[in-house]
């Protein structure tokens, strides 16, 4: 198993572009594969998770290649052009692949089996299996569909009116993909708005959907047009550099072309409320998604309360926000975040235990953490628990710790951001 060590940095300086947003990459791959022609995807996320989705489509007869190594060219076969794969489809560590594809595959005319790695096969799947079954899907899985492997026999679906118990873009998008094939409208309401990349991409593709606050309604589509997708830099990857630049004294960095969809910018709002000097410049829209350059300067941070509707807007960034909180003056209280317990690791438990190793006072609660900022983080030997965002959060902590920080089992960083260390090294002076 690989380990990663980071050291105290004197400052971070310079500018970077980042690989494409992981969530948007999955969706661009899906809509390209079921489109009726050749699509181009530029700046596709190079992480293993997006590759799982791509590989899955290759197993279902979709041709996709990188001509000249720049963009991905995908030849779509239409809404009903996918072929039954001859093997089990492996989704690795990717919850997005498993859940979104479950919706799409429920409506195909063939049989598939999805399975993932140890962590993925312990994550809750009933949240998609339940409503998909209500739509007429035929899905079997371990423990009555609570866990993968999932076996799906494609069926004729009908729309439902579904009130989601948790805010989750994966559940919403899975049902929307099923709804693209269903008889009658599929109406989905969330308790708080989660990332809306599926909605924006469908709107950009000219597919009529209805949206009103936390409700979205979709009806069957006749066809998906071929498209060129330009994927913005991933704000969830940018988050690590934003926090690093805020914490390392004297730092000043510019991150170019980052996605700043308001359903994802909870990290910016939270860090600004903590006193972070972050500016969004050159705001523009690309393929229906807001994009900006993000300018960050080292700042003194203070503890705040983080709860309510901002949680789904920052859900993947809580590990690195916890590092910022550990270095802030005062106490930060994170609550309403029980969803963190069912991510790639139980992020409340894993952040609490690893922050304690760095000398931080943390109280673990059922739905969050209370973190008391410290003057000086201690370098330690931390575990990633196979969770990419835990590994990168502690790599950032190493830049301001009193001695080196070692992260065990750091290979998981490749699931979302293989370029993390080379890009970080580019900024370190
Ligand atoms: C994602 C949705 C979120 C997020 C995940 C990506 C997506 O998960 O944590 O990393 O692309 O739809 P949930 O829908 O489970 O909140």
């Amino acid at each position: 198993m690989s380990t990663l060590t980071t050291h105290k940095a004197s400052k971070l300086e310079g500018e970077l572009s980042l690989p494409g947003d992981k969530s948007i990459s999955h969706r661009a791959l899906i809509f390209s594969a079921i489109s009726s022609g050749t699509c181009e995807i530029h700046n596709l996320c190079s992480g293993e998770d997006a590759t799982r989705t791509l590989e899955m489509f290759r197993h279902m007869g979709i041709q996709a290649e990188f001509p000249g190594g720049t963009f991905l060219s995908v030849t779509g076969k239409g809404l009903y052009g996918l072929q039954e794969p001859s093997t089990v489809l492996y989704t690795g560590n990717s919850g997005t692949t498993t859940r979104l594809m479950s919706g799409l595959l429920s409506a195909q005319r063939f049989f598939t089996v999805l399975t993932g790695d140890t962590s993925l096969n312990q994550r809750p799947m009933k949240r998609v299996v339940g409503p998909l079954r209500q739509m007429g899907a035929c899905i079997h899985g371990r423990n009555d569909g609570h866990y993968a492997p999932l076996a799906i026999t494609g069926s004729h679906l009908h729309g439902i009116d579904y009130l989601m118990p948790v805010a989750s873009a994966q559940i919403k998008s899975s049902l929307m993909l099923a709804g693209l094939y269903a008889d009658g409208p599929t109406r989905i309401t969330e308790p708080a708005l989660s990332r809306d990349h599926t909605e924006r991409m469908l709107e950009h593709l000219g597919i009529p959907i209805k949206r009103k606050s936390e409700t979205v309604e979709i009806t069957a589509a006749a066809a998906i047009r071929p498209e060129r997708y330009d994927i913005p830099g991933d704000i969830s990857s940018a988050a690590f550099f934003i926090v690093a630049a805020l914490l390392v004294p004297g730092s000043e960095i510019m991150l170019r072309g980052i996605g700043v969809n308001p359903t994802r910018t909870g990290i910016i709002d939270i860090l600004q409320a903590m006193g972070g000097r972050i500016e969004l410049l050159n705001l523009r829209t690309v393929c229906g998604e807001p994009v900006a350059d993000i300018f960050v300067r080292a700042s003194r941070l203070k503890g705040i309360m983080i709860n309510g509707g901002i949680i789904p807007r920052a859900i993947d960034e809580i590990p690195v926000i916890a590092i910022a909180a550990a270095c802030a003056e005062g106490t930060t209280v994170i609550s309403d975040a029980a969803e963190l317990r069912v991510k790639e690791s139980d992020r409340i438990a894993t952040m609490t235990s690893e922050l304690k190793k760095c000398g931080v006072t943390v109280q673990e609660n059922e739905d969050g953490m209370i973190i008391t900022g410290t003057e000086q983080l201690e370098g330690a030997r931390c575990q990633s628990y196979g969770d990419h965002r835990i590994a990168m959060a502690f790599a950032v902590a190493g830049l301001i710790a009193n001695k080196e920080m070692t992260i065990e089992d750091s290979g998981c960083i490749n699931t979302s951001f293989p370029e993390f260390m080379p890009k970080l090294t580019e900024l370190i002076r």
Side-chain angles (χ1 to χ4, degrees), residues 47-61:
E48 287 166 359
D49 280 13
T51 307
R52 301 294 176 205
T53 299
L54 171 58
E55 286 303 319
M56 206 174 230
F57 283 118
R58 285 189 169 132
H59 281 296
M60 292 190 283

Side-chain angles (χ1 to χ4, degrees), residues 196-260:
D196 66 353
H197 303 302
T198 309
E199 295 91 312
R200 283 174 185 262
M201 201 170 276
L202 284 165
E203 281 167 345
H204 181 68
L205 289 165
I207 303 292
I209 59 168
K210 290 185 197 154
R211 298 180 67 179
K212 200 172 166 208
S213 50
E214 286 84 33
T215 299
V216 60
E217 185 180 304
I218 184 164
T219 42
I224 308 281
R225 71 164 191 240
E227 182 66 31
R228 174 193 159 122
Y229 296 95
D230 289 284
I231 316 273
D234 196 332
I235 190 160
S236 295
S237 300
F240 298 103
F241 301 145
I242 295 173
V243 170
L246 290 175
L247 296 182
V248 178
S251 296
E252 202 169 279
I253 65 165
M254 177 77 91
L255 302 170
R256 298 262 182 218
I258 308 299
V260 289

Side-chain angles (χ1 to χ4, degrees), residues 1 7 21 28 38 47 53 58 81 100 146 184 223 237 249 259 279 344 350 355 371 391 426:
M1 263 187 208
H7 303 91
D21 184 274
T38 301
T53 299
R58 285 189 169 132
L100 268 57
H146 276 93
S237 300
E279 287 169 58
E344 288 83 329
T350 51
L355 277 174
I371 301 169
E426 267 184 59

Side-chain angles (χ1 to χ4, degrees), residues 22-23 26-27 96 99-100 123 127 167-171 173 195 197 315-316 339 343-344 347 389:
K22 178 160 79 72
S23 292
H26 285 292
R27 287 148 173 91
T96 311
R99 298 200 179 104
L100 268 57
R123 294 181 64 189
R127 46 178 59 197
S168 158
Q170 292 180 356
I171 307 177
S173 303
R195 63 192 67 190
H197 303 302
I315 191 71
D316 289 344
E339 272 295 294
K343 293 294 176 189
E344 288 83 329
R347 288 182 177 158
R389 300 201 200 281

